[in-house]
Amino acid sequence: MKTQPAIEFKNEQLHIINQTRLPLFEEFIITDDYERIAIAIERLEVRGAPAIGVTAAYGLALSLKKISKEKYSDVFEKAYHRLASTRPTAVNLFFALNEIKKVFDEKKNETDIYNLLISKAVSIHQNDIDLCDGIANNGLKIFSKKSRVLTHCNAGALATSGDGTALNVIRNAFEKGLIEHVHVDETRPLLQGSRLTAWELNKLGIPFSINTDSTSAFLMQQNKIDLVITGADRIAVNGDTANKIGTYNLAVLCHYHKIPFYIAAPTTTIDKNCKSGKEIKIELRNKHELNFFDGKQITKEEYPAYTPAFDITPNKLITAIITEKSIHNPPFDFKNV
Ligand code: MRU
């Protein structure tokens, strides 16, 4: 079973399904303009750590598409910085941009540099698809029985260029008869759970229900959750993990209720330059996302708001981290992974 990929590269253009319009409208942004691609990442029209990385890789490669040779260096540098400034937390963005930059730095004098960059973006894209498959296979090992699972945000096909991370583990487990029900946190304030994860689960035919984020404690107290699994935006060497705001709440709740708490992510989400979560930069979103809802004002515009997009779950609250390489158990040490 497959769902709609977040992005496709066709006829030298990037096709992005506009995730701010889902699930009510299935609309596409079709562009070869790196500025439009940067805006799409900032607006969360494309989002999720791996998908952001692959999208930015195409954006940077496309920056040379219509440019004369003498302007290559200037335009490339401008596009690199523009794309790198879009969202600070997901390390996959910087990983992918730097992979494209390495090719540019080595081969910028070759006549077909534009095609070389596009080929590199295509290989980053293909690699992401393969990583998702590896995660889904390794993730099967966490299921000892048909389970009731809770997830937060969206770590599915929409968040990667393959079939997803945490949601791909759930999809694979469902196909093997190991999923009874998926509880989906709505994921305030932008509702990646109730809009995007629900859309994917519905297409996959997996039984689910959406709940407000504050319902998860009650679900656990009623013994309705066997395990929690989420994705990640950046994992430090010691296993501390940045993911969508509210993930830490779940890990604390799991600890209290003695429920296993898993992270699923590709090794491209591990940041070997971050020793611990303290070094991870957390994105603050525009307060408009709290004062307004879907364009409608819901509280006074002048009320101040605190708007972190992500939080850090300390390693000691994580039962295991599933990557394409294996299931990593604590104590985590990702120096050589
Ligand atoms: O702000 P978003 O929607 O980009 O946040 C996404 C998440 O937090 C995901 O859980 C994470 O990127 C993993 S996606 C495979």
Side-chain angles (χ1 to χ4, degrees), residues 44 47-50 87 153-155 159-160 165 192 232-233 243-244 310:
L44 272 63
R47 33 69 48 206
R87 298 195 71 192
C153 196
N154 171 267
T160 64
T165 60
Q192 288 93 330
D233 282 81
N243 191 51
K244 179 53 55 194
F310 303 98

Side-chain angles (χ1 to χ4, degrees), residues 304-317:
Y306 177 51
T307 57
F310 303 98
D311 58 26
I312 308 282
T313 299
N315 54 16
K316 65 177 179 214
L317 295 179

Side-chain angles (χ1 to χ4, degrees), residues 287-298:
K287 72 188 269 303
H288 194 273
E289 290 176 357
L290 291 193
N291 299 76
F292 288 76
F293 186 79
D294 202 19
K296 185 176 178 303
Q297 188 169 346
I298 49 169

Side-chain angles (χ1 to χ4, degrees), residues 254-280:
C254 282
H255 183 71
Y256 181 80
H257 291 281
K258 302 192 172 36
I259 294 169
F261 176 85
Y262 297 99
I263 294 287
T267 49
T268 47
T269 301
I270 295 169
D271 184 353
K272 294 194 178 151
N273 296 318
C274 272
K275 285 199 226 45
S276 80
K278 285 196 197 104
E279 293 166 38
I280 299 178

Side-chain angles (χ1 to χ4, degrees), residues 31-239:
T31 183
D32 57 10
D33 174 12
Y34 81 80
E35 176 57 29
R36 180 65 188 91
I37 291 170
I39 290 170
I41 296 172
E42 282 168 345
R43 288 184 183 158
L44 272 63
E45 289 166 337
V46 57
R47 33 69 48 206
I52 292 171
V54 178
T55 302
Y58 280 117
L60 189 52
L62 283 166
S63 71
L64 299 191
K65 184 172 164 187
K66 297 168 194 157
I67 299 297
S68 56
K69 220 173 175 338
E70 61 281 4
K71 293 196 184 136
Y72 274 1
S73 288
D74 283 354
V75 171
F76 185 88
E77 197 175 326
K78 210 167 141 213
Y80 176 92
H81 290 295
R82 175 68 183 101
L83 289 159
S85 72
T86 50
R87 298 195 71 192
T89 303
V91 73
N92 310 57
L93 172 70
F94 306 97
F95 168 82
L97 289 175
N98 289 335
E99 290 289 295
I100 298 288
K101 188 172 182 320
K102 263 187 240 159
V103 177
F104 183 77
D105 289 344
E106 267 170 40
K107 307 208 166 144
K108 59 178 161 231
N109 295 323
E110 295 193 15
T111 43
D112 63 343
I113 180 67
Y114 165 68
N115 287 319
L116 292 173
L117 297 188
I118 292 289
S119 304
K120 184 66 189 176
V122 169
S123 89
I124 294 170
H125 189 164
Q126 182 56 49
N127 185 44
D128 188 48
I129 295 172
D130 298 342
L131 299 180
C132 289
D133 294 345
I135 292 167
N137 288 334
N138 286 333
L140 274 188
K141 296 170 203 147
I142 67 174
F143 295 89
S144 52
K145 58 168 187 169
K146 195 164 183 168
S147 301
R148 298 148 314 159
V149 178
L150 185 139
T151 191
H152 189 70
C153 196
N154 171 267
L158 289 171
T160 64
S161 37
D163 288 334
T165 60
L167 205 60
N168 200 19
V169 170
I170 293 172
R171 181 198 57 78
N172 196 19
F174 175 72
E175 288 179 7
K176 311 285 182 303
L178 291 166
I179 297 291
E180 185 176 316
H181 193 84
V182 185
H183 294 275
V184 181
D185 272 1
E186 67 173 349
T187 315
R188 283 279 296 143
L190 298 180
L191 309 183
Q192 288 93 330
S194 62
R195 294 189 304 105
L196 308 178
T197 298
W199 185 73
E200 289 197 46
L201 288 168
N202 187 51
K203 283 197 182 266
L204 291 166
I206 301 176
F208 72 96
S209 48
I210 56 179
N211 53 263
T212 63
D213 299 339
S214 44
T215 302
S216 39
F218 190 49
L219 281 166
M220 292 183 193
Q221 191 184 45
Q222 293 176 98
N223 199 21
K224 288 187 173 164
I225 308 291
D226 297 307
L227 64 94
V228 172
I229 182 165
T230 76
D233 282 81
R234 196 183 289 234
I235 300 173
V237 169
N238 71 350

